[in-house]
């Protein structure tokens, strides 16, 4: 077994040079595969609803309609996305490539930190372990706050653990931590790790020491940078209520942490335990070695052991954090993955243990390789973004100018959304308040279309998205949808009426004004204007009259003058299939 002293790896014996070189080559090959697969994922994997929502903040910022001063700082980095393409799917792909570069940066910091305590192969293995987790492969570089925050936090950790922590590094580390907090307040989940590392560097003897002044500099720079960034961001947006930030913090804490539920997202954890069993076994084994080493330091000094043990703390948040969804795993597993290097360095490559170590390493790499290929190629191939891209293409052709609408998640981010974010959290608040938000939005904003990208909006059941009880909307809102919209294409519904004439005359109301096109097999008279099939007429808000001699006929009024619609309906694949 390799020997370590005070956190620094000793040179391997010459007899191990061939094994060392071979390990580096194999691990580098797997890492190259993992990176290439991630590029494929960025271009092909289905876009999740909250990625569209995250993009909508950028447009709200550029349109001066952003009112959230917390957790929206990313808008300053992505205003250029609107120049990429008119299609939001293409914009998110471009943003994903940026996030991918940040995730690669996170991998670099995992390597740098690991290299201070482990051999070169073990450091590479720590990065590979992180890159092989199923959720990390598919969502580690998604367009969310997590990749940016994780990059900043791991960079800050790298600076803190530098051999010489001087004034500049302390200052920069605090600034990066502050930036991560501005991006997402859940970055505070890393605070226990930073605190325990500081204690280890101060209390336990070792080569690396921390001056208490550096702690003061780090804390001061974190607070100072956070305030500077916050007030800069706040001054750039029309914040309507100065207490909104405090309310956001309070609501987020109450909703995500202050609850009595244990393992609130256990099904996602169990999925990972099933598909990433090799990763978890390696992590547990590495952690076990560290715990034993605390009592009887052998391979690592006690200071180094405490530092490495502290890296497991963000992972503990899965026990209580409400929003521990799959995309959260790349955030919480980044520091913990470093511990996997402990397990790799426990392998012995001498002639007595070579076969055993080879078999263990082979099994670990085999299952990690399977995970990379399956979740990085096969899953994105099945759950691709083609349907999403086509739907947005149809919407932009039918409504070439920004038009008000509503949906689950601001999918048409460049257009003004007048509903609310229909996440589990959002729908729960909506249900508890018992206010028909969609009815009010339809009456006040008269949106000519909506996208049924959640089952509860698809009142005609024209899409394969299931209607789930926890996403149910109020009866008043459902009745308003049925009275004022008709199915158009795929998940797209447009303003319209389906009128059945049981007599020669029928009164009907219009809530959404505009030009309407008649679809029928016989002519009709509307407000005194004779119309045949595909004839158009502007209808104002209010009561109108349709007359026809053809009793028993159904007449369809569709918003727009022969609104664009492909001649075919899309396949029955759901627009969102989940994580």
């Amino acid at each position: 077994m390799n020997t370590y002293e005070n956190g620094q790896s000793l040179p391997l014996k010459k007899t191990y040079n061939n094994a060392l070189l071979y390990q580096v080559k194999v691990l580098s090959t797997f890492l190259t595969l993992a990176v290439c697969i991630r590029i494929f994922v960025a271009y092909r994997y289905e876009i999740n609803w909250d990625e569209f929502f995250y993009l909508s903040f950028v447009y709200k910022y550029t349109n001066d309609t952003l009112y959230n001063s917390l957790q929206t700082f990313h808008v300053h980095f992505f205003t250029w996305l609107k120049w990429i393409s008119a299609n939001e799917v293409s914009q998110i792909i471009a943003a994903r490539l940026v996030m991918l570069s940040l995730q690669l940066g996170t991998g670099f910091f995992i390597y740098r930190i690991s290299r201070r305590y482990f051999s070169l192969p073990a450091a590479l293995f720590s990065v590979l372990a992180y890159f092989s987790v199923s959720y990390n492969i598919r969502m580690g570089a998604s367009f969310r706050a997590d990749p940016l925050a994780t990059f900043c936090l791991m960079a800050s950790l790298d600076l803190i653990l530098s051999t010489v922590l001087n004034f500049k590094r302390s200052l920069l580390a605090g600034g990066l931590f502050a930036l991560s907090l501005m991006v997402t307040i859940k970055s505070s989940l890393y605070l226990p790790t930073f605190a325990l590392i500081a204690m280890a560097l101060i209390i336990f003897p070792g080569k690396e020491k921390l001056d208490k002044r550096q702690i003061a500099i780090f804390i001061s720079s974190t607070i100072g940078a956070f305030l500077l960034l916050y007030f800069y961001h706040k001054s750039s947006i029309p914040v309507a209520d100065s207490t909104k930030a405090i309310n956001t913090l309070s609501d987020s804490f109450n909703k995500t942490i202050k609850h009595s539920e244990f393992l609130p997202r256990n099904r996602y954890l169990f999925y990972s335990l099933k598909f990433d069993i090799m990763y978890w076994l390696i992590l547990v084994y590495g952690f076990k070695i560290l715990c034993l080493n605390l009592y009887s330091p052998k391979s690592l000094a006690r200071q180094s052991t405490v530092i490495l043990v502290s890296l497991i703390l963000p992972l503990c948040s899965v026990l209580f954090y409400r929003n521990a969804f799959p995309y959260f795993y790349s955030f919480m597993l980044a520091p913990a993955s470093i511990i996997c290097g402990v397990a790799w360095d426990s392998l012995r490559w001498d002639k007595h243990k070579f076969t055993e170590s080879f078999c263990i390493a082979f099994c670990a790499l085999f299952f990690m390789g399977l995970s990379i290929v399956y979740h990085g190629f096969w899953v994105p191939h099945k759950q691709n973004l083609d349907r999403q891209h086509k739907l947005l293409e149809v919407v932009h052709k039918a409504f070439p100018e920004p038009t008000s609408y509503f949906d689950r998640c601001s999918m048409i981010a460049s257009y003004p959304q007048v509903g609310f974010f229909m996440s589990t959290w959002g729908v729960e608040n909506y249900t508890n308040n018992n206010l028909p938000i969609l009815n009010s939005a339809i009456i006040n904003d008269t949106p000519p279309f909506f996208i049924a990208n959640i089952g509860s909006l698809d009142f005609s059941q024209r899409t394969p998205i299931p209607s789930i009880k926890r996403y149910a909307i109020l009866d008043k809102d459902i009745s308003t949808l049925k009275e004022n919209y008709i199915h158009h294409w795929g998940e797209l519904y447009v303003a319209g009426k389906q009128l059945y004439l049981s007599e020669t005359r029928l009164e009907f109301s219009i809530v959404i004004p505009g030009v309407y096109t008649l679809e029928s097999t016989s002519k009709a008279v509307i407000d005194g204007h004779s119309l045949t099939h595909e004839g158009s007429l502007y209808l104002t808000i209010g009561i109108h009259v349709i007359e026809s001699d053809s009793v028993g006929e159904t007449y369809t009024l569709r918003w727009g003058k022969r609104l664009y619609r492909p001649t075919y309906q899309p396949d029955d694949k759901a627009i969102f299939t989940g994580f």
Side-chain angles (χ1 to χ4, degrees), residues 512-526:
I512 303 165
V515 175
Y516 282 79
T517 298
L518 178 67
E519 298 173 3
S520 66
T521 57
S522 57
K523 70 176 183 178
V525 177
I526 300 178

Side-chain angles (χ1 to χ4, degrees), residues 510-575:
I510 288 292
V511 173
I512 303 165
V515 175
Y516 282 79
T517 298
L518 178 67
E519 298 173 3
S520 66
T521 57
S522 57
K523 70 176 183 178
V525 177
I526 300 178
D527 294 343
H529 298 275
S530 180
L531 297 176
T532 57
H533 177 63
E534 292 194 341
S536 301
L537 178 68
Y538 185 89
L539 299 178
T540 59
I541 298 176
I543 303 298
H544 300 269
V545 176
I546 181 172
E547 299 173 285
S548 176
D549 294 332
S550 301
V551 178
E553 288 282 340
T554 297
Y555 295 85
T556 298
L557 290 172
R558 190 179 303 273
W559 191 94
K561 190 172 184 179
R562 292 185 288 278
L563 202 62
Y564 171 76
R565 177 169 49 166
T567 56
Y568 62 92
Q569 285 292 327
D571 56 44
D572 60 355
K573 181 181 177 182
I575 200 74

Side-chain angles (χ1 to χ4, degrees), residues 145-432:
D146 302 79
L148 178 53
T150 307
F151 172 84
C152 292
L153 289 165
M154 293 305 293
S156 183
L157 271 176
D158 178 55
L159 290 167
I160 291 293
L161 294 173
S162 299
T163 304
V164 179
L165 183 61
N166 54 30
F167 174 80
K168 290 182 179 179
R169 288 178 177 174
S170 299
L171 198 66
L172 181 56
L176 286 167
F177 196 94
L179 178 57
S180 72
L181 287 170
M182 281 298 299
V183 171
T184 172
I185 56 178
K186 70 184 174 190
S187 297
S188 58
L189 294 173
Y190 272 61
L191 281 173
T193 292
F194 278 83
L196 190 55
I197 288 175
M199 289 175 58
L201 292 174
I202 292 173
I203 297 174
F204 296 103
K207 187 175 180 180
E208 297 177 13
K209 295 183 179 180
L210 183 63
D211 192 321
K212 293 182 179 179
R213 290 176 297 179
Q214 303 305 327
I215 297 179
I217 293 171
F218 173 78
I219 295 174
S220 300
S221 62
T222 299
I223 296 173
F226 180 83
L227 291 175
L228 286 173
L229 292 172
Y230 173 73
F231 286 112
Y232 163 73
H233 184 49
K234 184 178 179 181
S235 66
S236 67
I237 60 177
V239 180
D241 186 358
S242 59
T243 63
K244 191 173 183 66
I246 298 176
N247 292 336
T248 299
L249 285 173
S250 177
D251 292 344
S252 297
F253 178 79
N254 291 335
K255 198 70 177 180
T256 61
I257 295 177
K258 190 181 177 181
H259 56 78
S260 58
E261 191 173 358
F262 180 71
L263 281 174
R265 300 298 168 191
N266 57 69
R267 68 188 182 102
Y268 298 120
L269 176 61
F270 295 154
Y271 177 95
S272 181
L273 290 174
K274 176 182 176 181
F275 282 91
D276 305 310
I277 183 62
M278 185 57 66
Y279 172 88
W280 292 106
L281 288 175
I282 293 168
L283 179 62
V284 169
Y285 183 70
F287 187 71
K288 186 201 79 169
I289 293 175
L290 289 176
C291 290
L292 293 175
N293 205 70
L294 277 175
Y295 295 99
S296 179
K298 294 179 180 179
S299 59
L300 287 167
R302 183 169 278 113
Q303 181 195 79
S304 301
T305 304
V306 174
I307 289 173
L308 292 172
V309 166
S310 72
L311 301 178
I312 203 76
L313 295 178
L315 173 57
C316 297
S317 59
V318 75
L319 301 175
F320 60 85
Y321 187 62
R322 178 193 180 274
N323 286 1
F325 292 108
Y327 57 80
F328 180 68
Y329 281 66
S330 65
F331 174 84
M332 68 177 180
L333 288 180
S337 296
I338 295 172
I339 298 174
C340 293
V342 177
W344 186 272
D345 261 347
S346 70
L347 297 175
R348 293 177 57 183
W349 297 98
D350 55 59
K351 63 180 181 179
H352 302 292
K353 292 289 185 179
F354 183 86
T355 302
E356 178 184 327
S357 297
F358 178 83
C359 292
I360 294 172
F362 177 82
C363 288
L365 295 178
F366 176 76
F367 283 104
M368 286 182 175
L370 279 181
S371 178
I372 291 171
V373 173
Y374 177 76
H375 291 98
F377 179 75
W378 180 246
V379 174
H381 176 71
K382 289 172 57 183
Q383 295 177 226
N384 60 66
L385 47 72
D386 292 341
R387 279 278 287 106
Q388 297 171 331
H389 191 279
K390 183 60 181 178
L391 173 63
L392 268 62
E393 182 182 274
V394 170
V395 171
H396 281 286
K397 285 185 177 180
F399 301 91
E401 297 297 327
T403 308
S404 61
Y405 76 105
F406 59 90
D407 75 329
R408 174 185 195 165
C409 57
S410 299
M411 194 171 183
I412 316 298
S414 57
Y415 289 7
Q417 206 258 26
V418 297
F420 66 100
F421 183 36
M422 299 180 72
S423 62
T424 53
W425 187 347
V427 174
E428 187 176 322
N429 290 338
Y430 156 81
T431 304
N432 292 337

Side-chain angles (χ1 to χ4, degrees), residues 32-67:
T32 302
L33 172 65
V35 172
C36 293
I37 282 290
R38 272 166 165 70
I39 298 174
F40 178 78
V41 171
Y43 277 96
R44 296 298 299 150
Y45 188 54
E46 169 191 317
I47 297 173
N48 194 255
W49 47 82
D50 57 349
E51 291 186 83
F52 287 110
F53 186 62
Y54 206 60
L55 177 63
S56 71
F57 286 119
V58 176
Y59 279 96
K60 288 178 180 179
Y61 173 69
T62 58
N63 295 330
D64 291 328
T65 57
L66 181 65
Y67 299 103

